[in-house]
């Protein structure tokens, strides 16, 4: 999810428009253990199955988002949980879970996912951030699996004691999520107070969002899409109602937000064109190649001493002017960053450049000495030779320009782009310049730009791993809606890549 500080939640006024008439009435909703008052960041574990509507949405073995059961077939989550490179088919729903390492929960596949038709996103916020997921088969309700109640539009939701629960990270910057289900209490913050902060004043949509906050307590990465819930006097505080959905914010449980303080301009001006800031070190194979201390190209670590990049990144430059930075997130923060020189580079022997395009635009750079893999530095997997990714969603990452006339980003940025089939690619305005070794991506307003060249286009596979499917190569302008972005098709060059990186070590597959 986006970095959190003061969490914002979508008000559930949209519920009446989203499957409300399909709620299963075979058992009472919202019945949990109301009497236990245990207190994610600043939270504590809950009793097992105390909140039997809570669901963990898993992306392979990684916690991706939270959700809540609302019928025996439907889950409620955030729209951004099935956006930005993640399709609902990539997710599994862990139902009836408390301990992530336990075995008592059930795993369900997702048969369908519907975002709100007016869902939109920019580099900071998500609007109408709500989605309904349909399970592949119906749930059997029990003491451990039960739906939460949905509020009616005439309920007074002010002055409620709110809870938020999930398995997300327990602090900003943590690399792993909580083993056990955690909860914490938060309180509503008046819209006028929330709007005092520049970032919230400019991005808060009062009709569909609300601020919730408590110093030192917050939701964090991995809690996105999870419910914020409360009991209500209408049912004598004996039932739980879902009041909101964890949506967006800045950092996790930092002080003085949203009441006061101005976030750094570095945060609010983040825009790879049309993209958003990547969670720090979430793409630990991505490297920055600088030239005389200026961002030059991107690349992807494929072994402990080899970087996959574009041929044009090395064709016209002296290697002694290039420096590779591995483990980088924020350009001006070198913590945990490894710096290497390039001892040798191999550009594909059929590389050819014209004023419009680069052909066979691929290169392998050899580092002057190997890196050691850790939680910040990990190699990317290669696809199978000839593997086709048309119709999939890819993610590009890099520190390149945020527009044709803008400066490079100070943070690693990401953008999700549909990968066109070869047939769709050949129907574009660039068809006269395309070759079978090229791959097209297109999304209105999103693209790689100068400085992103050579960076990876990755796809998340069902086995829980990312593979690099493309190398950012060329295009017309940046995010020009008339033209797709062009990438070197990695699956076409697998034998060549393995030949020139054979001396390196990588993680076992």
């Amino acid at each position: 999810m986006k970095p959190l500080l003061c969490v914002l939640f979508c008000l559930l006024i949209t519920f009446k428009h989203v499957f409300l008439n399909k709620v299963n009435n075979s058992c009472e909703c919202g019945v949990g253990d109301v009497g236990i008052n245990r207190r994610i960041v600043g939270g504590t574990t809950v009793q097992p199955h105390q909140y039997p509507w809570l669901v963990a949405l898993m992306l392979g073995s990684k916690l991706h988002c939270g959700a809540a059961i609302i019928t025996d077939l439907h889950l409620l989550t955030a729209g951004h949980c099935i956006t930005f490179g993640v399709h609902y088919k990539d997710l599994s729903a862990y139902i009836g879970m408390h301990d992530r390492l336990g075995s008592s929960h059930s795993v369900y596949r997702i048969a369908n996912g519907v975002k709100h038709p007016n869902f939109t996103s920019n580099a900071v916020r998500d609007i109408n951030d709500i989605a309904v997921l349909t399970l592949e088969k119906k749930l059997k309700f029990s003491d451990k699996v039960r739906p939460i109640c949905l509020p009616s539009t005439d309920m007074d939701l002010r002055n409620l004691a709110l809870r938020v629960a999930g398995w997300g990270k327990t602090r900003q910057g943590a690399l792993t999520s909580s083993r056990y289900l955690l909860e914490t209490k938060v309180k509503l913050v008046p819209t006028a107070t929330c709007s005092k902060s520049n970032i919230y004043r400019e991005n808060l949509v009062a009709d569909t969002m609300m601020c919730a906050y408590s110093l030192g307590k917050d939701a964090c990465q991995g809690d996105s899409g999870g419910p914020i819930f409360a009991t209500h006097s209408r049912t004598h505080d004996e039932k739980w109602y879902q009041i909101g959905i964890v949506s967006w914010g800045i950092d996790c449980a930092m002080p003085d937000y949203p009441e006061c303080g101005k976030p750094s301009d570095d945060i609010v001006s983040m825009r790879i064109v049309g993209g958003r800031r990547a969670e720090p070190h979430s793409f630990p194979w991505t490297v920055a190649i600088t030239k005389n201390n200026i961002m030059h190209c991107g690349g992807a670590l494929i072994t402990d001493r080899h970087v996959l990049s574009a041929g044009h990144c090395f064709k016209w430059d002296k290697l002694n002017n290039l420096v590779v930075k591995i483990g980088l997130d924020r350009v001006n923060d070198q913590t945990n960053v490894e710096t290497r020189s390039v001892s040798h580079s191999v550009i594909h022997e059929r590389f050819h450049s014209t004023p419009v395009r680069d052909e066979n635009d691929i290169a392998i750079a050899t580092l002057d000495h190997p890196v050691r893999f850790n939680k910040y530095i990990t190699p990317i997997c290669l696809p199978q030779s000839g593997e086709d990714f048309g119709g999939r969603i890819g993610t590009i990452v890099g520190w390149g320009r945020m527009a044709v006339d803008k400066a490079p980003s100070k943070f690693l940025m990401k953008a999700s782009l549909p990968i066109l089939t070869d047939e769709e690619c050949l129907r574009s305005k660039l068809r006269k310049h395309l070759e079978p070794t090229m791959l097209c991506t297109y999304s209105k307003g999103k693209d790689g730009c100068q400085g992103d060249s050579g960076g990876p286009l990755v796809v998340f596979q069902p086995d829980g791993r990312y593979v690099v499917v493309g190398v950012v190569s060329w295009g017309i302008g940046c995010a020009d809606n008339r033209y797709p972005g062009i990438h070197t098709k990695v699956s076409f060059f697998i034998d060549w890549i393995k030949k020139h990186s054979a001396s390196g070590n990588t993680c076992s597959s």
Side-chain angles (χ1 to χ4, degrees):
M1 68 178 286
K2 291 181 175 178
L4 289 170
L5 193 146
C6 168
V7 184
L8 264 80
F9 303 91
C10 284
L11 282 174
L12 303 186
I13 57 173
T14 51
F15 275 173
K16 64 181 180 180
H17 303 297
V18 187
F19 296 123
L20 191 58
N21 60 336
K22 297 182 180 180
V23 174
N24 182 285
N25 293 312
S26 62
C27 76
E28 285 190 286
C29 63
V31 177
D33 194 337
V34 179
I36 294 178
N37 188 28
R38 293 181 177 267
R39 288 202 335 89
I40 315 207
V41 179
T44 61
T45 56
V46 303
Q47 291 295 317
H49 313 296
Q50 182 179 342
Y51 303 125
W53 46 82
L54 284 165
V55 176
L57 297 179
M58 305 295 291
L59 190 60
S61 60
K62 180 181 178 182
L63 177 68
H64 178 63
C65 275
I69 300 169
I70 56 171
T71 82
D72 59 358
L73 200 58
H74 298 103
L75 310 178
L76 191 68
T77 189
H80 75 261
C81 291
I82 53 171
T83 314
F84 314 117
V86 177
H87 194 273
Y88 65 81
K89 291 182 179 178
D90 298 327
L91 300 175
S92 299
Y94 283 34
I95 308 287
M97 185 170 72
H98 175 70
D99 180 355
R100 291 176 59 204
L101 300 183
S103 58
S104 61
H105 57 271
S106 301
V107 179
Y108 285 72
R109 301 299 301 173
I110 309 298
N112 193 26
V114 180
K115 287 182 292 191
H116 193 280
N118 296 323
F119 172 86
T120 58
S121 179
N122 64 19
V124 176
R125 69 177 180 183
D126 297 311
I127 304 173
N128 300 305
D129 191 17
I130 188 170
V132 171
L133 306 179
T134 302
L135 300 173
E136 64 176 359
K137 58 183 179 180
K138 288 189 175 183
L139 300 171
K140 289 185 177 180
F141 291 143
S142 66
D143 290 341
K144 297 181 180 180
V145 178
R146 191 183 296 269
I148 193 166
C149 298
L150 302 181
S152 60
T153 54
D154 62 343
M155 275 187 172
D156 184 355
L157 304 179
R158 296 170 296 178
N159 302 316
L160 296 179
L162 302 177
R163 306 284 180 96
V164 60
W167 293 266
K169 297 182 179 181
T170 54
R171 60 180 173 83
Q172 175 69 20
L175 296 175
T176 58
S177 300
S178 172
R179 173 177 173 176
Y180 300 102
L181 179 65
L182 301 177
E183 71 165 333
T184 193
K185 297 178 182 178
V186 292
K187 61 182 179 181
L188 285 179
V189 177
T191 300
T193 303
C194 195
S195 297
K196 288 181 180 179
S197 166
N198 284 355
I199 193 169
Y200 292 105
R201 179 171 63 247
E202 296 171 1
N203 291 283
L204 186 65
V205 181
D207 289 343
T208 59
M209 299 176 187
M210 63 183 182
C211 295
Y213 175 78
S214 185
L215 182 60
K217 303 172 186 178
D218 197 357
C220 203
Q221 285 81 8
D223 296 316
S224 284
I228 180 171
F229 48 98
T231 59
H232 199 277
S233 59
R234 178 170 295 184
T235 54
H236 307 288
D237 291 324
E238 293 179 353
K239 289 187 178 183
W240 293 96
Y241 292 85
Q242 183 166 358
I243 308 303
I245 300 171
V246 179
S247 181
W248 65 273
I250 305 299
D251 291 330
C252 302
M254 296 292 287
D256 299 331
Y257 282 88
E259 288 90 343
C260 64
K262 180 180 179 182
S264 166
D265 289 340
D266 293 344
I267 294 177
V268 297
S269 64
M270 307 172 303
R271 289 191 55 85
I272 230 156
V273 179
R276 57 170 60 195
R277 184 181 177 184
E279 183 180 341
H281 309 293
S282 55
F283 299 94
W285 47 81
T286 308
V287 308
I289 302 173
T290 62
K291 176 183 176 182
N292 300 324
N293 294 318
I294 298 174
M295 195 63 63
H296 175 61
C297 276
L301 193 68
I302 56 173
T303 80
D304 61 351
R305 65 187 69 201
H306 295 103
V307 169
L308 179 67
S309 189
H312 74 262
C313 291
F314 300 92
K315 182 67 174 178
W316 298 283
D317 292 284
K318 295 180 179 180
L319 295 185
N320 57 8
N321 290 331
L322 303 179
V323 172
V324 180
K325 296 184 178 182
I326 311 108
L328 179 70
D329 174 57
R330 185 170 179 161
V331 171
N332 58 1
D333 182 0
Q334 301 299 304
T335 306
N336 300 310
V337 174
E338 296 286 336
T339 300
R340 297 289 187 272
S341 299
V342 179
S343 63
H344 179 63
S345 68
V346 178
I347 301 171
H348 197 277
E349 52 273 14
R350 291 197 296 274
F351 172 84
H352 177 66
S353 185
T354 73
V356 175
R357 69 178 183 183
D358 294 314
E359 301 174 24
N360 302 299
D361 189 18
I362 193 167
I364 301 288
T366 302
L367 305 178
D368 60 342
H369 59 280
V371 295
R372 181 172 295 179
F373 298 140
N374 56 42
K375 55 191 176 183
Y376 305 109
I377 299 174
T378 306
I380 184 68
C381 299
L382 296 175
Q384 297 297 314
S385 180
E387 192 170 358
D388 182 15
F389 293 90
R392 300 285 298 278
I393 300 295
T395 301
I396 54 173
V397 290
W399 295 266
R401 295 180 185 272
M402 296 175 283
V404 174
D405 57 348
K406 296 292 180 66
S409 173
K410 295 181 180 180
F411 299 90
L412 181 65
M413 302 294 292
K414 67 177 180 178
S416 300
L417 300 167
I419 299 173
L420 305 185
T421 64
D422 289 342
E423 293 76 15
E424 291 171 329
C425 196
L426 290 172
R427 289 198 294 269
S428 74
K429 291 187 176 182
L430 297 179
R431 58 186 176 274
K432 294 181 180 179
H433 304 286
L434 300 177
E435 298 289 342
T437 58
M438 300 174 186
L439 178 153
C440 297
T441 58
Y442 179 82
S443 183
K444 188 175 181 181
K446 298 180 182 180
D447 199 2
C449 204
Q450 286 83 4
D452 295 316
S453 288
L457 171 72
V458 298
V459 165
F460 187 79
Q461 294 286 66
D463 64 2
R465 298 184 301 173
Y466 281 95
V467 297
V468 56
V469 305
V471 175
V472 178
S473 181
W474 62 275
I476 307 296
C478 299
D480 189 318
N481 293 330
R482 297 170 295 175
Y483 306 105
I486 309 301
H487 310 255
T488 302
K489 188 183 293 184
V490 172
S491 64
F492 192 92
F493 295 95
I494 294 300
D495 292 341
W496 184 88
I497 293 170
K498 290 182 176 180
K499 174 183 176 182
H500 293 288
S501 61
S503 61
N505 297 314
T506 186
C507 298
S508 59
S509 58

